[in-house]
Amino acid sequence: MTETLHSEIQIAAPQATVFAFLTDPDKILRWMGTSATIEPHPGGIYLLSMNDRQTARGQFTEVIPVHRLAYSFGWDGHDTVPPESGLIEIDLIEKDGGTLVRLTHSGLPDEKERANHAKGWAHYLRRMSIAAAGGDPGPDSMNG
């Protein structure tokens, strides 16, 4: 049986700004990764190099501008979470003058990987919330 993680964060920025921080490679690199190829349309590539050792790979399955993204996800060279083995769904909901980001990551193989990815998503969603609100999240402590 596979595992699913759920995470939410409120960001002090409009939906369009948050959407851009999830789909524009230059904006993504302000909060996560070292290089990105992102084609935000169904069938488009999701390729994000975290560092010299880890690259996430998948493809977009759903793109509804400023409201929703879904893409397959996994890691190059990773036996338990290979490319396109999981699904990430991100809903952007207008709330309290900002945007509620609701993330679901399904298809993780076990509790250990769910916990590892939950830690990573918590870290990166915090960094995105700072960057999308106009701040500087600083150097990435997980990207060493």
Side-chain angles (χ1 to χ4, degrees):
M1 185 171 147
T2 62
E3 297 284 328
T4 299
L5 75 86
H6 301 278
S7 186
E8 288 188 357
I9 192 166
Q10 177 75 18
I11 298 180
Q15 287 168 291
T17 299
V18 176
F19 188 82
F21 272 85
L22 291 163
T23 57
D24 178 324
D26 292 333
K27 286 183 169 48
I28 290 169
L29 294 178
R30 289 176 49 190
W31 60 277
M32 177 170 64
T34 55
S35 69
T37 301
I38 307 293
E39 299 172 349
H41 57 81
I45 293 169
Y46 178 90
L47 184 65
L48 181 68
S49 180
M50 299 303 290
N51 51 44
D52 294 336
R53 300 175 309 281
Q54 292 183 297
T55 299
R57 181 183 304 271
Q59 73 174 340
F60 286 91
T61 58
E62 190 176 5
V63 179
I64 302 170
V66 312
H67 296 289
R68 181 172 166 82
L69 289 171
Y71 53 92
S72 60
F73 180 90
W75 300 99
D76 282 352
H78 197 291
D79 292 337
T80 55
V81 186
E84 300 191 38
S85 64
L87 178 67
I88 293 174
E89 298 168 275
I90 302 171
D91 290 296
L92 305 178
I93 301 146
E94 192 176 334
K95 183 178 177 190
D96 299 332
T99 303
L100 176 66
V101 177
R102 185 172 288 149
L103 179 138
T104 303
H105 187 161
S106 57
L108 292 161
D110 54 37
E111 173 55 31
K112 178 181 179 231
E113 287 297 343
R114 191 200 67 77
N116 286 344
H117 285 80
K119 179 180 174 187
W121 278 117
H123 172 79
Y124 285 111
L125 289 174
R126 275 192 306 273
R127 289 178 57 79
M128 182 180 67
S129 74
I130 295 165
D136 178 359
D140 184 357
S141 63
M142 286 186 78
N143 200 11

